[in-house]
Amino acid sequence: KQEVTQIPAALSVPEGENLVLNCSFTDSAIYNLQWFRQDPGKGLTSLLLIQSSQREQTSGRLNASLDKSSGRSTLYIAASQPGDSATYLCAVGDSSYKLIFGSGTRLLVRP
Amino acid sequence: GAGVSQTPSNKVTEKGKYVELRCDPISGHTALYWYRQSLGQGPEFLIYFQGTGAADDSGLPNDRFFAVRPEGSVSTLKIQRTERGDSAVYLCASSQTQLAGVADTQYFGPGTRLTVL
């Protein structure tokens, strides 16, 4: 059974710092990996989708990497801003449609 | 265009009652998903529709839960004889037609917060 773990559970950094969020999964036979952002009381916003054949994706200040063999993904956020404060969720696609989520990392970027 | 919408945004009910939660997917999206998110946890998969049919309902916790999508657009998640443990945020997502073996981005709605007293 696929299990997804995110470390740390919470992170507080000063504005401007570069930071890395970690995601690990137990079964390397995945279809894709997706990073989401969730604001309090809101739904999920997709940030980056990495297909199993890819190793990374970039969007603006965000870069996500995927290493299937080691069961790891990282989300790199450059030059963090207070508006980046949210919960970041990692989700592994164990089929073409089903996502298995981690519990998330709660990020606070202090002004 | 408009995103995924869900109604109601909040639902408070009493133990033992029946509830219906509605999801309007993005227009043209043939794939629709329901997830459930408990406090402090990530969403858990409940059911996946491709068109009108439930292609995978393996995540439904028991037979009190049922979902339909009769015309391949709007979906309703139905919960019978609600229990306090059903309290959670119920999220709906949609995506474009799935190509074989290739997943498309899932777009999520804001969720319905269900509280069972």
Side-chain angles (χ1 to χ4, degrees), chain A residues 7-64:
Chain A
I7 295 174
L11 182 63
S12 178
V13 300
E15 182 177 4
E17 272 204 7
N18 302 323
L19 57 99
V20 174
L21 306 182
N22 296 294
C23 173
S24 62
F25 46 95
T26 55
D27 187 344
S28 62
I30 67 171
Y31 277 68
N32 61 75
L33 187 141
Q34 201 161 352
W35 283 93
F36 292 87
R37 168 185 174 140
Q38 186 171 33
D39 293 281
K42 303 288 181 62
L44 281 64
T45 301
S46 178
L47 299 173
L48 292 164
L49 168 65
I50 310 175
Q51 300 290 355
S52 62
S53 59
Q54 299 173 326
R55 293 192 66 86
E56 69 175 342
Q57 283 286 337
T58 297
S59 176
R61 295 182 293 108
L62 305 179
N63 175 275

Side-chain angles (χ1 to χ4, degrees), chain A residues 32 38 43 51 96-97 101-103, chain B residues 37 41-43 56 98 103 106 109:
Chain A
N32 61 75
Q38 186 171 33
Q51 300 290 355
S96 63
Y97 57 85
F101 284 84
S103 296
Chain B
Q37 186 174 25
Q41 302 296 315
D56 184 349
Q98 299 285 356
Q106 294 185 22

Side-chain angles (χ1 to χ4, degrees), chain B residues 50-63:
Chain B
Q50 183 60 254
T52 61
D56 184 349
D57 64 357
S58 62
L60 295 177
N62 52 59
D63 61 6

